[in-house]
Amino acid sequence: MSFEINTIYFVNKFGSEKKQIPFPVNPDLKLLDVIPEISKKFGINSQNICIANMGGQVLTATELEMSIKNLVDKYGNSFDVIDRGGVGLNF
Amino acid sequence: MIPKLFIEAIKNQAMNSEDEIYGWLIGYLKDKIPNVLAIIECRRFTHQSYIAAIPDVQSFQEVSSAMPQGIGPIGIYHSHPHGGKVFHSHTDDTTLLSLSKQFPSSISIVTNGSEINFYQMDKNRLTEIQVEFMEVPIPALITFTMREKIPITLIGKPKDSENVKIKILNQMRTFFEEIWDLITFQSNGKTLTGDMPISDFLSSNLSEKPIELKIPIQVKEKFKENLEISLSKLDTGGKVSLKKKINLNLTFKIPYYAKNSEATFKAIKEIMRVEIISNNIIQRLYMSIFKLEQEILVIPKEFYLEYFGIFLRILAFDDKTLNKKLSDKVYAFLFELLISLKTFINSDLTSRYQNFISAFLEDVKELSTQFPWDKKIKKLMNSLEKKLR
């Protein structure tokens, strides 16, 4: 059976309960293109957001430029959405 | 609500660092009040200096993934070193606002080692809040288990173990999302209906009164096409392909800490969906190893450690050789937890906290036998145990 990618899953683990958003998406898009929407859906400041694979490794700028299809082939269809949570003065 | 002991520990951490310290407040929300059950000091940073701190994303991912559903990071703390003024900078405001959108009652604590302030966002405005210092009760928990053999058909010859693993992961995600509503909750062989309250199944222990998740046979049959995985494009073209059946042994034991004992199974099922599918099945598949020669998928097991009375989950194989892949990651996480405990040891610990720390050290000792660094971490544990005595 052929497998068509059309939904990727984003999980946010800040708070007492983890939350997940299924995200139907055109697999030819770059992940970078959908980050503003993900950021909005979870309420994470767009400067703070980062996407990690299920092993916790943050996707690099090059990976964010890859098509979602290629990313799904590399890491799977599930990603963590993490707030960097930086504090302090300007950095 | 937060125990006074944690405040002392946060101040101690701040006093002993030249740079800004950073950590997570672990707890839950009840009646709109955040309750802090534990703290974890961050030890891995993307940036750390005397004016700023950005935790390493992997560190947060490990902390938050280890948390059981119902308890998690509900706030952060950081310091202004060298007796600096205790205030919230513009960056701190932006971060707290962002965290508050993810968890509306997020707390931010700032200390210079002697003074300490507590902040929350109230309608997007920073507010200093009053705090009650007291020991926080641990909510009762309900345990969900599964023991299923999922029959998977691999079509084509596996060539790249990582590729096979990711294909299985993707297919399993789709499979479980599709069948989730058809999975039943059972206790002692009886199916539990959605309108039943969870109250009769609450406990303080992981192994008591587990609820078993069952995939009905007819569901496995109906969705069997979803369990066929094509390993190469050639195999999808209708040619006679090499087929290999493998069984995916899925077993888990997952706690949910319930703040509302009157909640029904219907309500809990949706909350557990993300924990069971995303944080357990999919994450474990991601960490799994596909052995090309034998064509088997080895999935890491769950080990539970009791940290301040909360059951944290660590993924590991019960095999030192396989654990090489997870070794550094587990070591870094355990080190972070042990170092967090070190700041408590010199405080005047009540028997509750002495017992918590002893229980945690015992659990770490047991888990570390599965890893090559067991002797290295033992040294740190011995010094903690000595101080505890």
Side-chain angles (χ1 to χ4, degrees), chain B residues 6-70:
Chain B
F6 294 167
I7 302 301
E8 284 171 31
I10 291 170
K11 284 180 177 177
N12 279 342
Q13 290 167 17
M15 290 294 264
N16 290 317
S17 174
E18 290 288 308
D19 292 326
E20 286 205 5
I21 57 141
Y22 188 101
W24 295 282
L25 307 168
I26 307 300
Y28 63 95
L29 193 71
K30 188 163 188 193
D31 303 326
K32 295 185 180 171
I33 298 170
N35 290 260
V36 180
L37 283 170
I39 58 171
I40 298 177
E41 185 186 0
C42 177
R43 304 291 289 194
R44 288 172 280 169
F45 291 90
T46 302
H47 173 88
Q48 188 187 24
S49 68
Y50 68 97
I51 54 161
I54 309 171
D56 177 56
V57 168
Q58 181 135 18
S59 181
F60 175 78
Q61 203 263 4
E62 284 164 16
V63 166
S64 56
S65 301
M67 294 295 150
Q69 190 72 317

Side-chain angles (χ1 to χ4, degrees), chain A residues 1 3 9 11-20 42-45 48 50 53-56 58 72-78 80 82-89 91, chain B residues 22 51-55 57-58 61 64-65 67 69-73 89 91-92 94-95 98 101-102 106 166 170-171 173 177 225 256 259 274-275 278-279 283 286 329:
Chain A
M1 179 195 157
F3 175 60
Y9 296 84
V11 183
N12 178 255
K13 297 175 178 169
F14 189 83
S16 56
E17 275 158 16
K18 301 169 191 84
K19 301 162 285 284
Q20 147 183 316
F42 283 107
I44 302 177
N45 182 298
N48 286 12
C50 59
N53 64 25
M54 296 307 276
V58 181
V72 169
D73 286 345
K74 190 173 179 183
Y75 293 128
N77 53 13
S78 308
D80 277 0
I82 298 171
D83 193 318
R84 287 183 196 277
V87 291
L89 299 174
F91 48 77
Chain B
Y22 188 101
I51 54 161
I54 309 171
V57 168
Q58 181 135 18
Q61 203 263 4
S64 56
S65 301
M67 294 295 150
Q69 190 72 317
I71 289 174
S89 70
T91 311
D92 302 344
T94 307
T95 289
S98 181
K101 286 187 176 161
Q102 296 158 69
S106 296
I166 295 296
N170 285 337
Q171 202 81 329
R173 160 66 89 174
E177 290 293 342
E225 270 202 1
Y256 168 64
K259 276 82 71 182
V274 54
E275 183 67 22
S278 292
N279 202 48
Q283 197 169 39
Y286 189 86
K329 197 177 162 77

Side-chain angles (χ1 to χ4, degrees), chain A residues 63-83:
Chain A
E63 287 172 331
L64 293 176
E65 289 283 349
M66 284 164 65
S67 72
I68 288 172
K69 187 199 174 304
N70 288 344
L71 267 182
V72 169
D73 286 345
K74 190 173 179 183
Y75 293 128
N77 53 13
S78 308
F79 299 90
D80 277 0
V81 179
I82 298 171
D83 193 318

Side-chain angles (χ1 to χ4, degrees), chain B residues 18 26 31 37 59 75 87 94 157 185 216 229 232 238 254 278-280 305 328 334 337 357:
Chain B
E18 290 288 308
I26 307 300
D31 303 326
L37 283 170
S59 181
F87 70 105
T94 307
K157 181 80 186 148
F185 286 165
I229 299 171
S232 69
I254 303 177
S278 292
N279 202 48
N280 195 292
L305 310 174
D328 291 350
L334 291 182
L337 297 180
I357 294 175

